[in-house]
Amino acid sequence: MTIYNNIGSNKRKTWLLMIFFILFFFGVSYVLGKSLGYGLSLAGIMLIISGLMSFASYYYSDKIVLSMSGAKEVDKKSHREFHDIVENLSIASGLPMPKIYVIQDPAPNAFATGRDPRHASIAATTSIPAMTLPKVVCLVSRKLLFAVLMKNCEPFVLGPAFAMASVPRRYLRMTGSSSKR
């Protein structure tokens, strides 16, 4: 079995999960509609609502998360060094350039979101671009790795992927740029 077979399997499982979600809400609303005397009208309404929710969660969940966190998309002019790091690591890893967002918050934090690498986004708080270069490179490389994992999250991929993600941290420890915990 190849990784491409597993990616296909993951996509099928995602669609099955979404179909199960829709059918579950349809079934519950059907039983409630029949018991409360509404007939199929309540089930029909819930079928439409659950279908719209599934569609929105699949295609717009990244935008929802970014707007909830107050993230603003940045361009190359406003955060040049941070943008260059993400761009260089994207080129080196062979991944498409993700959209870059910054959240106005002094606490150091970052996350990756998106339904696949082509629709990936990296969001970081304002304290991240101000960190030292090796720490930013470490953080961005881990977030790009998560963009790859968005494509396929099979268990046999996670072990080697997290091992690869720890390489930048080991580099930081070897150079003395990070405190040992």
Side-chain angles (χ1 to χ4, degrees), residues 6 14 20 22 27 35 51 53 67 81 86-87 99 114 128 135 137 143 153 168:
N6 287 320
T14 300
F20 174 75
I22 292 168
S35 65
M53 286 175 59
S67 66
E81 188 174 345
V86 174
E87 184 176 41
K99 292 180 183 175
I128 298 295
K135 288 182 180 181
V137 169
K143 297 309 165 192
C153 289

Side-chain angles (χ1 to χ4, degrees), residues 37-100:
Y38 290 110
L40 289 176
S41 61
L42 182 62
I45 292 170
M46 286 305 289
L47 183 66
I48 293 169
I49 290 172
S50 61
L52 290 172
M53 286 175 59
S54 293
F55 178 82
S57 67
Y58 184 76
Y59 288 102
Y60 299 107
S61 60
D62 57 339
K63 292 170 183 61
I64 294 168
V65 168
L66 290 166
S67 66
M68 285 175 53
S69 63
K72 304 289 182 213
E73 189 169 3
V74 296
D75 57 358
K76 197 168 187 166
K77 293 177 185 175
S78 61
H79 289 83
R80 182 175 179 80
E81 188 174 345
F82 187 55
H83 190 280
D84 288 346
I85 290 169
V86 174
E87 184 176 41
N88 290 340
L89 287 171
S90 297
I91 292 169
S93 64
L95 292 172
M97 175 74 173
K99 292 180 183 175
I100 305 169

Side-chain angles (χ1 to χ4, degrees), residues 154-166:
E154 290 294 315
F156 76 93
V157 174
L158 292 176
F162 285 127
M164 288 175 13
S166 68

Side-chain angles (χ1 to χ4, degrees), residues 112-124:
T113 185
R115 66 181 180 269
D116 59 36
R118 288 180 294 139
H119 298 96
S121 300
I122 294 178

Side-chain angles (χ1 to χ4, degrees), residues 9-25 50 54 57:
S9 173
N10 262 1
K11 288 181 181 180
R12 284 188 298 277
K13 289 175 185 175
T14 300
W15 283 106
L16 284 173
L17 184 63
M18 289 171 56
I19 290 169
F20 174 75
F21 172 77
I22 292 168
L23 291 177
F24 174 75
F25 273 99
S50 61
S54 293
S57 67

